[in-house]
Amino acid sequence: MKMKIFLLFSLLFFSPCFAQLMPGPIIDDDNRITFSICAPEAQEVKVINLSDSAALGAAEYQMAVDADGKWSVTTKSCRAGLHYYELSIDGARVADPASPLYFGWGKWTSCVEVPDKELDFYLPRSVPHGDVRMHWYQSSTTATARKCLVYTPPEYDQNVTQRYPVLYLQHGAGESELGWTMQGKANFIFDNLIADGRAKPMLIVMDSGYAARPNAENPHRPRGDENVFAELLIQELIPMIDSQFRTLADRNHRAIAGLSMGGGQALRIGLTNPELFASVATFSGAGRFDPDTAFDGVFKDAVAFNSTYRLFFIGCGTLEGNRFTSMKELHELLTERGIRNAWSAPVGSHEWQVWRVHLYELAQLLFN
Amino acid sequence: MKMKIFLLFSLLFFSPCFAQLMPGPIIDDDNRITFSICAPEAQEVKVINLSDSAALGAAEYQMAVDADGKWSVTTKSCRAGLHYYELSIDGARVADPASPLYFGWGKWTSCVEVPDKELDFYLPRSVPHGDVRMHWYQSSTTATARKCLVYTPPEYDQNVTQRYPVLYLQHGAGESELGWTMQGKANFIFDNLIADGRAKPMLIVMDSGYAARPNAENPHRPRGDENVFAELLIQELIPMIDSQFRTLADRNHRAIAGLSMGGGQALRIGLTNPELFASVATFSGAGRFDPDTAFDGVFKDAVAFNSTYRLFFIGCGTLEGNRFTSMKELHELLTERGIRNAWSAPVGSHEWQVWRVHLYELAQLLFN
């Protein structure tokens, strides 16, 4: 037993290659990333699924090993922004123990943040910060305790009689209610814009887009549960938020937005419930649909649409391939039909840097 | 390129052994845990450092592989509570991709929660829930933006003129400000006790116990930075909390507690700053010290101590070995000297289940 403890301590402190001492991803001036991990007995170690569009042709990087069992590789130059990735160690797909982890891809996933030399709107500045509250509530739809995150603007606790508009903001598939804060930096984006007088102080409600009825077979299969989430949002989440926070509880002061899967949810929920939402935004999230019939035919009558919706926002990264093509076509088609919409097309792929830009632009348009 | 995408999709959907489809740790009725991971090309896969005291003699479990490359093992019966662990894949120490991860051991670490058949005080019940706020502030001590977590009791937003006592609650080495919420379930412990009328509604402030001056060499070396954290807590954190939250801003309504490293911090800060704290608690955190001279001789005069401190709380798990022995001796020595102290000794090791019990007991004694 004593020998065991001694050996454990030896391993902890004297091994020249000890995973926890790896520095995590290192980024050079040309946005090349060096990854490293200790795997003394491994045969093959790779960086896989590095979700960086500029590196798509080489999204997988074979690592090389040194005499101490430390594997490492330096990538090509990568785009700025937050990239998910995994390591493959002899075929096992795992997180890099030296990286920050965020919940994405249905699990805690390694991320590397490549600083952007041109954009800093999402970095914390020395301005008043809003809180992000973990707020628990009991759902009768799912028969579970759920946690949503609620951003309250910096002044919320001081102006105790003031009421605020609300943005419901949804994450993408495989992510969670944490996504817009941890990956998206939504709170810092709003802190900065509010400090500069460029966004209205508002509440942001970020809940999980997954909801299943009790005893549902797979609570994380979004397609099957879409109606359950919509029901939960409308019948439980909105009334709960309106009763427990100082909201302006009317459609003119309520917006819904989301990215990817959440963008689809925002469209479906926002455009079929005009009595609840006057502003709707989709980021990289809309399949092809028939504009005459989709969403109860909401796009059929431009005059009616424009008088119903204060803001309709469509965003997609220019490097998202077919998705970009179809969302750009949607924007153009709607514009042609006289349907007022805001269009955001930053250079980037299906990644958080694009969605941060979308949110930054949306924030400045909301509730004006 | 197209072939590459096809292959990726094949891998994602058709591989019979795909890490993300592993179910995560499965616990049977006898508290045996089955771990599994897909690692088709690996030579040796182990569960290591499973921090369960009952299994200490076998904290390492060799896994066996099946024809699909799925490795698995079932442990001996384990103690109830939250256990950290790692996987070793051909010598690489990584998190289990199928497990929940919490920040511990200086990184995001796998955890398995073994339900306790006797204790449920830390599980969410259908009672009013307090929020846990992520609260950012700019520190001039560290010259960084810091995030602390603040639990506000369920009634906080309704009783907008009410002021509350404050517990400063610190995590252990390698953990973060998230520890007491994610691992410790401090918010649910208080929600339940407050609902039952067994704890006073109070604020709980949970900050990182690590603080380094700008350009310090290693911001995560606690010993070297202890004074920096104490300075930050006293000069910045407490005044910030007292100005931004509705606190009862006096020593009688301010407590400090912590576990392990944080228990040492609570002792040093709480017992050398009686003008700030009237209640001090240490969980599994106190070295041996000379009671005549330690903490500016605070234990020398029992009458003075007892009139200064409303509550002095010492806790340690009975299975913590030398640590338990020395903390029990401390409790007995102080009691012998007439120094009033509360003693908590649940069965358990240096683990969160013990600290949850300590907090549960402390909560019922605080500010009475």
Side-chain angles (χ1 to χ4, degrees), chain B residues 209-221:
Chain B
Y210 294 105
R213 296 201 197 283
N215 307 317
E217 265 186 30
N218 183 347
H220 284 278
R221 178 107 352 145

Side-chain angles (χ1 to χ4, degrees), chain B residues 103 141-144 146 171 173-175 208-226 228-229 232 261 265:
Chain B
F103 200 84
T141 307
T142 62
T144 60
R146 284 172 67 94
H171 60 80
E175 295 165 345
S208 167
Y210 294 105
R213 296 201 197 283
N215 307 317
E217 265 186 30
N218 183 347
H220 284 278
R221 178 107 352 145
R223 298 280 167 224
D225 297 320
E226 240 155 43
V228 183
F229 173 69
L232 181 144
M261 176 185 94
Q265 292 173 319

Side-chain angles (χ1 to χ4, degrees), chain B residues 9 41 48 62 66 74 117 119 126 129 137 160 167 176 226 236 240 256 272 310 319 326 333 341 368:
Chain B
F9 271 73
E41 313 297 332
I48 60 171
Q62 200 81 34
D66 71 9
T74 298
K117 294 175 179 75
L119 302 179
S126 189
H129 297 294
Y137 66 102
V160 293
L167 167 62
S176 76
E226 240 155 43
E236 298 198 277
M240 183 277 286
I256 186 164
T272 60
R310 300 177 67 186
L319 305 176
S326 72
L333 181 67
N341 65 92
N368 279 338

Side-chain angles (χ1 to χ4, degrees), chain A residues 18 90 93 131 133 135, chain B residues 18 90 93 131-133 135:
Chain A
F18 174 57
D90 288 347
R93 293 172 54 176
D131 286 348
R133 303 186 182 189
H135 186 79
Chain B
F18 174 57
D90 288 346
R93 294 174 53 179
D131 286 349
V132 176
R133 302 184 180 192
H135 186 78

